[in-house]
Amino acid sequence: MIYMHEMHSVLPGRMPELFTAVETRFLPLAARHDVRLVGFWQVPPGHGTTPTAVAVWELDDFAHYTRLLERMYGTREADAELRAWYEGLHEWVAATESMICYPSRLTPTVAEITERGLQAKLCTHELIHCEPARQAEYLELCEEMWWRRVAEPAGRSLIGLYWSPWKNTRAICIWGQGAQWSDVNPYGKGESWQSDVNHEIWQKLGREIRKDWDDRFLVPAPFSTVR
């Protein structure tokens, strides 16, 4: 699988209209071309730049992505409605930053997310600044040290860890904070979240690859697969 990661700078006051348009207009188009939704979120007040929407879409492979572009810009089996959707995003969105990404080894597919009933009322979205060409390595280390030894025991869920071969210093981590609002604790539960030896080891190892990061919270749209 490959994934399209999108960050939309939404025009002020237009988030509800964007949600409605994605649900009623784009999701049927996505289904027509077998583009599967991992999640669609908005950044809430308090942590991150608002108004921002974040979306992750799943495709089979690069051939699938190429076919999608051919339907938009080619002449064979062209889908004018698909092209019109992207050209019309300016009605709600000022700008979009997109990345085609590979998933980490433990990142669940949409089918696995659905089968597991994976839900998260609040997510943490981390845009990691890595040392050059070490994005995949960072995610491998993150899975082994941070996820298995700290985050999963503390009740987090792994929504998706992604890296792009065309973004030499970037990796993306999306973590679920709790299946229900009563489970959500953004700063972590229990003393071990801050004092556990595995947490300390991760912080030391992570600094060998990670230079910086930009975090934001995410709240799912009603139609999001992870919600």
Side-chain angles (χ1 to χ4, degrees):
M1 303 293 180
I2 63 170
Y3 293 82
M4 291 194 298
H5 176 275
E6 301 173 330
M7 293 186 66
H8 301 291
S9 298
V10 181
L11 296 171
R14 308 304 291 273
M15 189 73 74
E17 295 176 23
L18 175 63
F19 276 14
T20 297
V22 172
E23 182 174 18
T24 61
R25 293 173 53 187
F26 186 68
L27 286 185
L29 278 171
R32 184 189 303 172
H33 295 280
D34 198 22
V35 176
R36 302 170 292 274
L37 177 63
V38 174
F40 203 102
W41 300 269
Q42 64 176 314
V43 177
H47 190 51
T49 301
T50 58
T52 300
V54 175
V56 179
W57 305 90
E58 180 184 82
L59 295 88
D60 295 334
D61 48 30
F62 281 103
H64 188 178
Y65 175 65
T66 302
R67 289 196 303 272
L68 190 68
L69 295 183
E70 184 180 14
R71 300 299 179 268
M72 293 174 61
Y73 302 111
T75 57
R76 186 174 67 91
E77 299 181 23
D79 189 335
E81 191 176 358
L82 182 63
R83 180 169 179 171
W85 165 261
Y86 283 102
E87 292 179 345
L89 271 174
H90 62 82
E91 183 175 343
W92 313 283
V93 173
T96 298
E97 181 178 357
S98 302
M99 287 191 288
I100 296 293
C101 300
Y102 289 119
S104 72
R105 185 173 59 88
L106 296 182
T107 291
T109 64
V110 170
E112 290 170 338
I113 288 170
T114 303
E115 180 181 356
R116 298 172 190 175
L118 181 56
Q119 302 294 292
K121 299 303 181 185
L122 185 73
C123 292
T124 301
H125 178 283
E126 303 173 345
L127 184 59
I128 309 296
H129 303 254
C130 302
E131 293 290 341
R134 301 186 73 179
Q135 319 96 296
E137 181 185 355
Y138 175 82
L139 295 183
E140 290 174 1
L141 190 62
C142 187
E143 287 182 336
E144 182 58 36
M145 288 302 305
W146 175 248
W147 166 243
R148 293 188 186 278
R149 306 185 188 203
V150 181
E152 186 177 25
R156 294 290 192 260
S157 56
L158 196 164
I159 307 302
L161 311 182
Y162 309 103
W163 67 279
S164 171
W166 294 285
K167 289 287 186 178
N168 194 38
T169 61
R170 297 294 178 88
I172 298 161
C173 301
I174 305 178
W175 309 102
Q177 297 273 11
Q180 304 299 326
W181 281 110
S182 57
D183 302 321
V184 173
N185 187 327
Y187 203 58
K189 296 181 179 180
E191 294 182 3
S192 64
W193 188 258
Q194 296 184 41
S195 60
D196 182 74
V197 63
N198 288 310
H199 184 281
E200 295 176 4
I201 291 172
W202 162 247
Q203 293 300 335
K204 292 177 181 178
L205 289 175
R207 283 196 293 269
E208 295 298 316
I209 302 177
R210 182 185 61 234
K211 299 168 63 177
D212 198 359
W213 68 87
D214 298 312
D215 281 8
R216 57 200 51 79
F217 291 148
L218 302 177
V219 176
F223 55 85
S224 179
T225 306
V226 176
R227 62 181 182 272

